[in-house]
Amino acid sequence: MTPKSAAKQGLQLWQDKLEDSALRLGLVGNICLAFLFFPVTRGSSVLPLFGLTSESSVKYHIWLGHIVLTLFSAHGLCYIIFWATTNDISKMLEWEKTDISNVAGEISLLAGLILWATTYPGIRRKFFELFLYAHHLYIIFVVFFVLHVGISYTSMMLPGFYLFLVDRFLRFLQSRQSVRLVSARVLSCETFELNFAKNPSLSYNPTSIMFINVPGISKLQWHPFTITSNSNLEPEKLSVVIKGDGSWSNKLHKMLSSPSSADNLEVAVEGPYGPASTDFLRHDTLVMVSGGSGITPFISIIRELIFASSALKCKTPKIILISAFKTAADLAMLDLILPISGTEQDMSNLQIQIEAYVTREKQPATEQHFKKSSQAIWLKPKPTNSPISPILGPDSWLWLGAIVASSFMIFLIIIGLITSHFIYPSDHNTNKVFSWSIRSTVNMLFICIAIAATSSLAVLWNKKQNANQANQILNMELSTPQESPCSLSYNPDRELESLPVQSLVQATNIYYGERPNLKKIILNCEGSSIGVLVSGPKALRNDVANICASGLLENLHFESISFSW
């Protein structure tokens, strides 16, 4: 690039460099866009290949999103400056028939900028619904991006977006079915556990999450919650724990704790999503550090170890659970360690030590720390409500591969027929006759049709298989209320005398008005392999990470569990 070459185009050298920079920024942005949708493809088989979960990879989506929109914003700004300095600003209004459409690019960028603005942490925290709804602008962003550059130039980002479309449509199909919410356990600390009927073929690992929608509160809001049940210990039940610290969760808590609570609550779900595998048995000691509601992923781990020690007779690691709560009322969350099921679990082979800290109160509010203050509410699901089942059956990865392969083949066949019979006769591969916009629209349309058709057939097939099992799970195998069957709630104090509860009470130490000395507790642990898990506020996670990274003990294996949906 020289002054002479720039002059041939009637440009100054800096203007020529500006135009070239604008083009390169767009090309690099397109490369980043190719990876943008992989991290948010929740049901994809790609993420587990890299040892990632959908939750842990969200941060990569955030980073890529910032990079993409920064590059595209600079790309658009450079072109606007270039057109303004060359007295060609009218190009902003051009929509070429067989070339780049500037108007489509501007619409795409505008949608992206609005979406980007709502991701600012202050806006996201205070106006989460605005953030949530604004994210649907990705549809406008992608559609007009394709119309801007044409279908040929979008091939680079097609694989990631194609997998995302398949996953998104499968989640849409799953969310159309109301599930069987059988019971709820409401605690005094504005925390509650929802218990759903589950198909025994649905298997998931500890620390998995599930998205929940309650149409009675909002038909558009979906919220992720940790699954506390264990698919081995409780094959016909799936439980999640929700802390009432937001408008949506507070409304749900009010609905459940109200004396006039409805017999049936319509709920839809997406998931579960979780790690491909977990191996907690490799450790001699498992230290779990939680703050507040951060205890919820550890409940599923403890239940997994209860199953391993009782049913599989495996040697399990010694469990040290360190939980910090603000008030004594929050201690009720420890009640959730054991499932609501009346089947007693054998905990005789499980070594567990619970260190609970109440940081904002200096003395106990009641004499009995473990007095049950929860209320069990038994609902009456409709016959049309179905147990939670795997959307693609037990062999979901095979079905997913079949959907991706068959839908893409159908798309290629249809586009091949359209090209040979309609586009080629008039265009002859010159790309200068047939409209780029029409070609892009046709391609997008048949991609969607192919995905919708193959996914629907796969789901309908598996739905038939699941229906046979669903008929056998009309009622979950939960303990029968002691009161009249027509009563919606009962007093679960009778469970206090059970051996598992006694074991937990004896294994628990409660400290008031102080915080745990994490360094002392962790470094005093014994064992050749000590797993250290932490879940809670960022400051707590950093403190534990620093202790493990200090090098004072070489046998510490650190893992942080954070939820950044």
Side-chain angles (χ1 to χ4, degrees):
M1 190 179 296
T2 63
K4 187 176 181 181
S5 63
K8 286 183 179 180
Q9 303 176 59
L11 302 173
Q12 298 180 31
L13 180 60
W14 71 272
Q15 291 174 328
D16 198 14
K17 288 184 176 181
L18 180 64
E19 184 184 26
D20 184 68
S21 298
L23 178 61
R24 292 176 185 273
L25 285 167
L27 292 175
V28 175
N30 198 11
I31 294 172
C32 295
L33 184 62
F35 298 96
L36 181 63
F37 291 95
F38 280 112
V40 288
T41 306
R42 297 175 191 163
S44 171
S45 299
V46 175
L47 296 178
L49 294 177
F50 297 94
L52 296 172
T53 63
S54 55
E55 186 280 326
S56 64
S57 58
V58 167
K59 60 184 177 184
Y60 303 116
H61 173 72
I62 295 172
W63 296 345
L64 286 166
H66 289 316
I67 295 171
V68 165
L69 286 168
T70 299
L71 290 170
F72 283 168
S73 297
H75 164 76
L77 184 62
C78 286
Y79 266 116
I80 291 174
I81 295 173
F82 172 75
W83 292 329
T85 56
T86 56
N87 298 318
D88 207 7
I89 199 69
S90 61
K91 278 189 173 293
M92 287 186 65
L93 302 178
E94 285 186 356
W95 190 307
E96 295 287 348
K97 180 181 179 181
T98 57
D99 203 350
I100 298 295
S101 169
N102 296 330
V103 174
E106 291 152 12
I107 295 173
S108 176
L109 181 58
L110 180 61
L113 290 175
I114 296 173
L115 186 156
W116 194 19
T118 62
T119 63
Y120 180 73
I123 295 177
R124 179 178 177 177
R125 283 193 298 267
K126 294 181 180 179
F127 307 99
F128 182 78
E129 292 184 27
L130 176 63
F131 161 81
L132 183 68
Y133 299 146
H135 247 62
H136 289 88
L137 289 172
Y138 80 87
I139 300 172
I140 296 176
F141 173 79
V142 171
V143 168
F144 281 91
F145 171 80
V146 175
L147 294 176
H148 170 55
V149 299
I151 193 65
S152 299
Y153 289 99
T154 57
S155 299
M156 187 182 298
M157 57 88 69
L158 181 60
F161 191 65
Y162 196 93
L163 290 178
F164 172 79
L165 280 178
V166 172
D167 176 72
R168 188 67 192 87
F169 189 72
L170 288 173
R171 288 192 279 125
F172 168 78
L173 293 177
Q174 184 186 21
S175 66
R176 296 306 92 194
Q177 176 66 55
S178 293
V179 296
R180 291 177 62 83
L181 175 60
V182 180
S183 69
R185 181 159 43 159
V186 182
L187 306 181
S188 58
C189 56
E190 296 186 349
T191 300
F192 50 97
E193 179 188 60
L194 302 181
N195 299 299
F196 299 91
K198 179 184 82 70
N199 193 313
S201 64
L202 175 61
S203 179
Y204 50 87
N205 286 314
T207 72
S208 294
I209 61 101
M210 185 171 68
F211 284 77
I212 294 179
N213 170 263
V214 181
I217 299 176
S218 171
K219 293 183 179 181
L220 297 177
Q221 289 190 43
W222 290 83
H223 295 268
F225 297 103
T226 307
I227 297 175
T228 54
S229 56
N230 179 266
S231 58
N232 295 314
L233 190 67
E234 304 147 274
E236 295 183 355
K237 186 187 76 170
L238 187 150
S239 304
V240 298
V241 170
I242 301 174
K243 176 73 173 176
D245 56 2
S247 60
W248 185 89
S249 55
N250 282 332
K251 289 177 182 177
L252 182 55
H253 179 266
K254 187 176 180 181
M255 291 172 65
L256 291 172
S257 57
S258 172
S260 58
S261 179
D263 287 358
N264 175 261
L265 186 64
E266 291 291 326
V267 180
V269 302
E270 287 182 6
Y273 307 108
S277 63
T278 54
D279 186 13
F280 302 111
L281 297 178
R282 72 183 187 274
H283 300 298
D284 297 319
T285 302
L286 202 58
V287 182
M288 297 183 284
V289 184
S290 69
S293 58
I295 192 177
T296 52
F298 298 148
I299 295 174
S300 63
I301 296 175
I302 293 174
R303 293 188 186 182
E304 171 75 8
L305 295 177
I306 291 174
F307 172 79
S309 66
S310 60
L312 303 180
K313 304 300 180 182
C314 295
K315 181 183 177 182
T316 56
K318 178 183 178 181
I319 301 171
I320 301 177
L321 175 62
I322 307 167
S323 297
F325 301 104
K326 292 180 180 179
T327 65
D330 293 331
L331 290 171
M333 295 190 71
L334 295 175
D335 296 342
L336 300 173
I337 291 177
L338 294 176
I340 197 173
S341 172
T343 304
E344 290 193 1
Q345 308 300 332
D346 181 11
M347 297 180 59
S348 58
N349 296 326
L350 189 70
Q351 299 180 69
I352 184 168
Q353 175 186 342
I354 302 175
E355 306 292 328
Y357 292 81
V358 180
T359 59
R360 295 188 181 180
E361 294 181 6
K362 295 186 177 180
Q363 57 184 6
T366 60
E367 294 182 357
Q368 295 181 348
H369 304 309
F370 278 87
K371 183 178 180 180
K372 292 281 183 176
S373 55
S374 62
Q375 177 191 16
I377 301 171
W378 299 82
L379 303 173
K380 299 176 181 177
K382 296 179 181 178
T384 54
N385 296 152
S386 63
I388 300 176
S389 303
I391 186 68
L392 292 176
D395 301 320
S396 58
W397 63 276
L398 283 174
W399 279 102
L400 184 61
I403 290 171
V404 172
S406 59
S407 61
F408 196 67
M409 287 298 297
I410 292 171
F411 160 70
L412 290 179
I413 292 171
I414 294 174
I415 290 301
L417 292 173
I418 292 175
T419 301
S420 61
H421 289 83
F422 297 99
I423 299 177
Y424 180 78
S426 61
D427 192 89
H428 297 286
N429 288 339
T430 62
N431 288 328
K432 294 182 179 179
V433 178
F434 200 84
S435 169
W436 283 21
S437 297
I438 295 177
R439 181 180 295 188
S440 298
T441 302
V442 169
N443 275 265
M444 288 188 288
L445 176 64
F446 283 104
I447 283 176
C448 294
I449 290 174
I451 289 174
T454 53
S455 299
S456 298
L457 287 174
V459 170
L460 286 173
W461 175 269
N462 282 281
K463 193 173 182 180
K464 273 187 178 180
Q465 306 302 313
N466 291 332
N468 296 330
Q469 292 183 333
N471 292 331
Q472 304 171 10
I473 319 172
L474 293 178
N475 294 297
M476 288 171 47
E477 294 181 358
L478 295 174
S479 54
T480 305
Q482 295 297 301
E483 294 180 7
S484 166
C486 62
S487 175
L488 290 178
S489 64
Y490 73 106
N491 186 348
D493 285 348
R494 59 187 177 81
E495 296 180 2
L496 279 173
E497 302 303 322
S498 66
L499 290 176
V501 173
Q502 286 182 354
S503 299
L504 283 182
V505 173
Q506 293 169 2
T508 302
N509 298 312
I510 302 177
Y511 307 90
Y512 290 86
E514 60 180 289
R515 296 180 181 276
N517 187 337
L518 296 174
K519 185 175 182 179
K520 179 181 178 182
I521 297 173
I522 293 174
L523 296 182
N524 284 338
C525 292
E526 298 179 352
S528 59
S529 176
I530 301 173
V532 182
L533 310 180
V534 59
S535 174
K538 186 177 181 180
L540 176 66
R541 301 199 305 270
N542 290 338
D543 288 343
V544 177
N546 291 333
I547 294 171
C548 295
S550 64
L552 297 174
L553 274 182
E554 296 181 355
N555 54 349
L556 296 179
H557 303 274
F558 173 76
E559 182 178 345
S560 175
I561 302 175
S562 63
F563 299 94
S564 54
W565 294 99

